[in-house]
Amino acid sequence: MDHDSREARWERRTDGPLTAASLLFLATYAVRVLAEPSLSEPGRITCDVAMLAAWAVFAVDYGVRWRYSGQRLRFVRTHPLDTLVLILPLLRPLRFVKAYERVKRRRGQPRLPLYGRVIFYSGTSALLLGFASALAVYHQERGAPGANIRTFGDALWWACSTLSTVGYGDATPVTPMGRVIAAVMMAGGLALLGAVTGSFSSWLLQVFSREDDERPPGGTPGA
């Protein structure tokens, strides 16, 4: 039994629980940030415990895949995205970029359903990344001297303009951590949007190629 197959089976089995843990982390973080002024002390503790439990699930997953890979310390270098997600769980939507890479490596089998799933998952991940980044930036910027992101609505507007690469510049982070979050979001957003556009282009090319293959020899369009 090779290590790659064990790691692949582990990833398939844990995909659902890890997705649930990601949603739990995002939901409790949203409550922690948006309801902070009126959140009671028991409520804060509950949110913190839930976030810590979700992070523990990510840590266990990372440790198991590290062991199954058999790469020891090289695992950290060969899985930079997984390491980044472990440090910053809000970036877990970026792991869907790996699905795009798997589709590109497939050979021989029809890939249209896979491309559709990559487009759906990457688009959804971009939305989740934007929401998570808006929460994180709002958490850092509110109340900061000279900040122009004062409400969560401002943070959402900033996230939309940043993800779409428009960048109006009317709302920008001023704190060091806010700018770090912005830089990570720009890089992650480009990766996810690249997966969407790349998969859509490949899907169109495959459709056109299939139509050419099915066209009778010597036939003409409309004949």
Side-chain angles (χ1 to χ4, degrees):
M1 182 182 302
D2 56 58
H3 292 297
D4 290 338
S5 63
R6 293 171 67 188
E7 185 179 358
R9 283 197 297 271
W10 172 261
E11 288 187 358
R12 287 194 298 269
R13 292 171 181 171
T14 58
D15 186 61
L18 287 174
T19 300
S22 300
L23 293 176
L24 174 64
F25 189 95
L26 182 59
T28 51
Y29 182 69
V31 172
R32 189 75 169 79
V33 172
L34 298 178
E36 185 171 4
S38 58
L39 196 62
S40 64
E41 187 63 24
R44 292 191 183 93
I45 294 175
T46 301
C47 288
D48 291 342
V49 169
M51 290 170 61
L52 183 61
W55 182 86
V57 172
F58 303 146
V60 169
D61 170 67
Y62 186 88
V64 171
R65 287 190 297 111
W66 184 343
R67 180 183 176 186
Y68 283 168
S69 70
Q71 296 179 338
R72 298 183 182 273
L73 291 179
R74 194 163 60 90
F75 181 86
V76 179
R77 298 196 305 271
T78 57
H79 294 72
L81 185 57
D82 295 319
T83 304
L84 182 61
V85 169
L86 176 64
I87 299 172
L88 299 172
L90 285 176
L91 299 179
R92 180 169 168 79
L94 293 179
R95 288 196 63 193
F96 284 120
V97 177
K98 296 175 66 177
Y100 175 61
E101 297 299 327
R102 287 196 294 269
V103 167
K104 290 176 64 178
R105 291 195 295 266
R106 288 289 295 271
R107 293 292 185 273
Q109 297 295 326
R111 293 181 289 177
L112 294 181
L114 290 174
Y115 280 132
R117 281 188 292 177
V118 170
I119 292 172
F120 173 77
Y121 285 135
S122 299
T124 303
S125 298
L127 293 176
L128 289 174
L129 178 63
F131 180 71
S133 299
L135 282 171
V137 165
Y138 174 57
H139 191 197
Q140 297 296 323
E141 295 291 309
R142 62 181 176 189
N148 50 31
I149 300 179
R150 301 183 181 88
T151 67
F152 185 59
D154 293 337
L156 283 176
W157 171 251
W158 164 81
C160 290
S161 62
T162 302
L163 269 180
S164 62
T165 69
V166 175
Y168 289 109
D170 55 341
T172 56
V174 298
T175 63
M177 185 54 66
R179 290 175 176 174
V180 169
I181 295 169
V184 173
M185 179 186 176
M186 285 186 279
L190 287 174
L192 287 169
L193 292 176
V196 173
T197 55
S199 294
F200 185 69
S201 300
S202 299
W203 175 74
L204 287 178
L205 289 174
Q206 191 173 16
V207 169
F208 294 149
S209 176
R210 178 172 296 181
E211 289 179 352
D212 290 339
D213 292 340
E214 293 175 352
R215 185 177 300 165
T220 58

